[in-house]
Amino acid sequence: MQQLDALTSLKRTFRRGEYLYRCGENFHSLFAIRTGFFKTQVLHEDGREQVTGFQMPGEIIGLDAISSDVHTCDAVALEDSEICEIPFDRLETLSRELPSLQRHLHKIMSREIVRDQGIMMLLGSMRAEERLAAFLLNLSQRFSARGYSPTSFYLRMTRQEIGSYLGLKLETVSRTFSHFQENGLLNVRVREVEIMDMLRLRSFVSHT
Amino acid sequence: MQQLDALTSLKRTFRRGEYLYRCGENFHSLFAIRTGFFKTQVLHEDGREQVTGFQMPGEIIGLDAISSDVHTCDAVALEDSEICEIPFDRLETLSRELPSLQRHLHKIMSREIVRDQGIMMLLGSMRAEERLAAFLLNLSQRFSARGYSPTSFYLRMTRQEIGSYLGLKLETVSRTFSHFQENGLLNVRVREVEIMDMLRLRSFVSHT
DNA sequence: CATGGTTTTTGACCTATATCAAACGTATTT
DNA sequence: AAATACGTTTGATATAGGTCAAAAACCATG
């Protein structure tokens, strides 16, 4: 336990807009988010961006870099945030001694793979309304798991970032929010979302 | 080394169409493909399917199941195949003793995460022609790495499976193949592909 | 607390891809 | 070798979402 504490003792803060790491930088640590909100994105050479995830407190960021010892995406703070750095070689060493830590690390990496599968499903075979509904339900569930309201929350990201994540243009995201509001599924005032009819929103995504 | 051999000594063969595992089954082993070709897919309750990957010899399958000890997708043989089973608890035990094996496992899992990021990019921000070009170049590179021709290969999957993987309908896949052929980028005769102009095909995907 | 820049909303129009349908090839079974 | 099922190609048409544009709302800064 002391060893684990020592492992996660390096803390750092980031202002909104600051980069935790950039694509191409050398990898030596994973990062656990303590407070705040991040996005990860891949930039295409022609300027197109793809947001690959939004990360909240308790989540681990940087797993993609293990494969080649180089970061393969950018991680950007969407609000003032605090992270703790986990030097990866020390994590590996320690996880050889602590089977439960080893198991935990494997589960975290596997969970990331499962999450990515879900996004493939979303991008590959869902329509705009289904994508946005799935996105909001996912946020809701994660806020809920952290003790916040599952129905009422503040979006840290722009319409354009949501769109990039969901494979939609920002106008489509905006319109879909408006449709949802017209249909009484939720109230939106820009970044403030209140889910009014969770069940009907769910029926959008797993529509039998 | 002997230990490693013992670890991978369980071999099994699968006929085309057979399931290596199904979504919902309990997890206990990873699988290394020795010969053949597999696809992994997630099925939505309403019948929609999403192909999440095509796997070739040397690749490891089943990583998604570590997170919850249950398989989260189906794995289906696309041709007669041979796999070797790797009991995961024994792999974990052994990787505590062999740092290089531990490192290797982490890289494999991370590589899967990076691969998924690439697919997100593809599904989220590329057009049909770019997607198919990226898909063919990826196959080409992987065949090449296994000592096969990078320009001439046989597709083990149907147009519909390619479409599902790329977030396109099978007709669109078929038409895009035809366009590529009309433009002298490649020759297709159903499942047989010959890339004629690799450079121009590349320029489709990373088009500056 | 006014100002300039960014983000969001909404409208009108357009296009890439989906859908529907039919014909044609190619494999598998008997 | 014929019959049958399955996969592929191609055409005609429809539509979801993209593009372009302008106004409105928001917010960060001096």
Side-chain angles (χ1 to χ4, degrees):
Chain A
M1 255 309 170
Q2 289 173 323
Q3 292 171 304
L4 233 168
D5 274 356
L7 197 64
T8 59
S9 64
L10 295 90
K11 300 196 178 41
R12 269 157 72 201
T13 58
F14 289 84
R15 304 298 308 273
R16 179 148 74 91
E18 281 191 300
Y19 282 70
L20 174 49
Y21 53 76
R22 284 171 194 270
C23 189
E25 283 177 11
N26 286 333
F27 166 74
H28 27 79
S29 296
L30 298 177
F31 301 95
I33 302 177
R34 293 176 62 81
T35 62
F37 221 93
F38 284 82
K39 69 167 174 180
T40 47
Q41 62 184 9
V42 185
L43 296 172
H44 229 198
E45 47 267 38
D46 60 0
R48 280 183 288 189
E49 73 164 31
Q50 175 70 35
V51 171
T52 55
F54 298 107
Q55 294 81 18
M56 310 189 170
E59 294 174 344
I60 302 290
I61 212 169
L63 297 169
D64 52 276
I66 297 168
S67 77
S68 59
D69 289 317
V70 166
H71 286 286
T72 64
C73 64
D74 301 325
V76 189
L78 293 180
E79 60 182 25
D80 296 355
S81 301
E82 193 188 2
I83 59 89
C84 77
E85 187 171 342
I86 308 170
F88 188 64
D89 48 5
R90 291 176 59 194
L91 177 61
E92 278 191 327
T93 306
L94 198 52
S95 80
R96 267 181 258 133
E97 288 156 28
L98 301 173
S100 68
L101 178 62
Q102 181 196 35
R103 169 59 54 106
H104 191 62
L105 174 60
H106 292 160
K107 296 221 176 215
I108 284 170
M109 297 189 75
S110 176
R111 198 169 308 137
E112 180 69 21
I113 293 169
V114 174
R115 188 189 74 88
D116 293 347
Q117 275 183 2
I119 300 174
M120 279 184 229
M121 178 96 224
L122 184 144
L123 292 172
S125 48
M126 286 166 68
R127 293 175 316 102
E129 287 184 335
E130 302 173 309
R131 293 184 201 191
L132 189 63
F135 171 71
L136 291 171
L137 290 168
N138 175 263
L139 283 185
S140 162
Q141 183 265 309
R142 285 155 76 202
F143 280 124
S144 176
R146 282 161 184 77
Y148 300 106
S149 167
T151 53
S152 189
F153 45 84
Y154 180 79
L155 299 171
R156 272 73 173 180
M157 65 294 280
T158 66
R159 297 288 185 264
Q160 125 85 3
E161 285 163 340
I162 297 172
S164 169
Y165 181 65
L166 299 178
L168 301 169
K169 292 293 153 177
L170 69 95
E171 295 94 330
T172 305
V173 174
S174 177
R175 276 185 240 275
T176 307
F177 267 122
S178 300
H179 295 160
F180 281 170
Q181 173 144 291
E182 284 158 25
N183 291 304
L185 289 164
L186 45 77
N187 285 326
V188 218
R189 255 198 82 238
V190 194
R191 303 282 187 106
E192 200 61 59
V193 172
E194 188 187 3
I195 298 176
M196 306 301 283
D197 192 340
M198 190 71 89
L199 290 176
R200 209 139 59 83
L201 203 60
R202 283 214 189 93
S203 76
F204 261 94
V205 35
S206 74
H207 78 117
T208 17
Chain B
M1 257 309 170
Q2 289 173 322
Q3 294 171 303
L4 232 168
D5 273 354
L7 196 65
T8 59
S9 63
L10 296 90
K11 300 196 177 42
R12 268 157 73 201
T13 58
F14 289 83
R15 305 297 308 274
R16 179 147 75 90
E18 281 191 300
Y19 282 70
L20 174 49
Y21 53 79
R22 284 172 195 270
C23 189
E25 284 177 10
N26 286 332
F27 166 73
H28 26 80
S29 295
L30 298 177
F31 302 95
I33 302 177
R34 292 176 63 82
T35 62
F37 221 93
F38 284 82
K39 70 167 174 180
T40 47
Q41 62 184 9
V42 184
L43 296 173
H44 229 198
E45 47 266 39
D46 59 0
R48 280 183 288 188
E49 72 165 31
Q50 175 69 35
V51 171
T52 55
F54 298 108
Q55 294 82 18
M56 313 191 168
E59 294 173 344
I60 302 290
I61 213 169
L63 298 169
D64 52 276
I66 298 167
S67 77
S68 59
D69 289 317
V70 166
H71 286 285
T72 64
C73 63
D74 301 326
V76 189
L78 293 181
E79 59 182 27
D80 296 355
S81 302
E82 193 188 1
I83 59 89
C84 76
E85 187 171 343
I86 308 169
F88 188 64
D89 48 6
R90 291 175 58 193
L91 178 60
E92 278 191 326
T93 306
L94 198 52
S95 80
R96 268 181 255 132
E97 288 155 28
L98 301 173
S100 68
L101 177 62
Q102 180 196 35
R103 169 59 54 107
H104 191 61
L105 174 60
H106 293 161
K107 297 222 176 213
I108 284 170
M109 298 189 74
S110 176
R111 198 170 309 136
E112 180 68 21
I113 293 168
V114 174
R115 187 189 75 89
D116 293 348
Q117 275 182 3
I119 300 172
M120 279 184 229
M121 179 96 224
L122 184 143
L123 293 172
S125 47
M126 285 166 70
R127 292 174 318 101
E129 287 183 335
E130 301 173 309
R131 292 184 200 191
L132 189 63
F135 170 72
L136 292 171
L137 290 168
N138 175 263
L139 283 185
S140 163
Q141 182 265 308
R142 285 155 76 202
F143 280 123
S144 175
R146 283 162 182 77
Y148 300 106
S149 167
T151 54
S152 189
F153 45 85
Y154 181 79
L155 299 171
R156 272 75 173 180
M157 64 295 280
T158 66
R159 298 287 185 264
Q160 123 86 2
E161 285 163 339
I162 297 172
S164 169
Y165 182 64
L166 299 178
L168 302 169
K169 293 293 153 179
L170 69 95
E171 295 94 329
T172 305
V173 173
S174 178
R175 275 185 241 274
T176 308
F177 267 122
S178 301
H179 294 161
F180 282 170
Q181 173 146 291
E182 284 158 26
N183 290 305
L185 289 164
L186 44 78
N187 285 326
V188 220
R189 253 198 84 239
V190 194
R191 303 281 188 106
E192 201 60 60
V193 172
E194 188 187 3
I195 297 175
M196 305 302 282
D197 192 341
M198 190 71 89
L199 289 176
R200 209 138 60 81
L201 203 60
R202 284 214 190 93
S203 77
F204 259 94
V205 34
S206 73
H207 78 115
T208 20

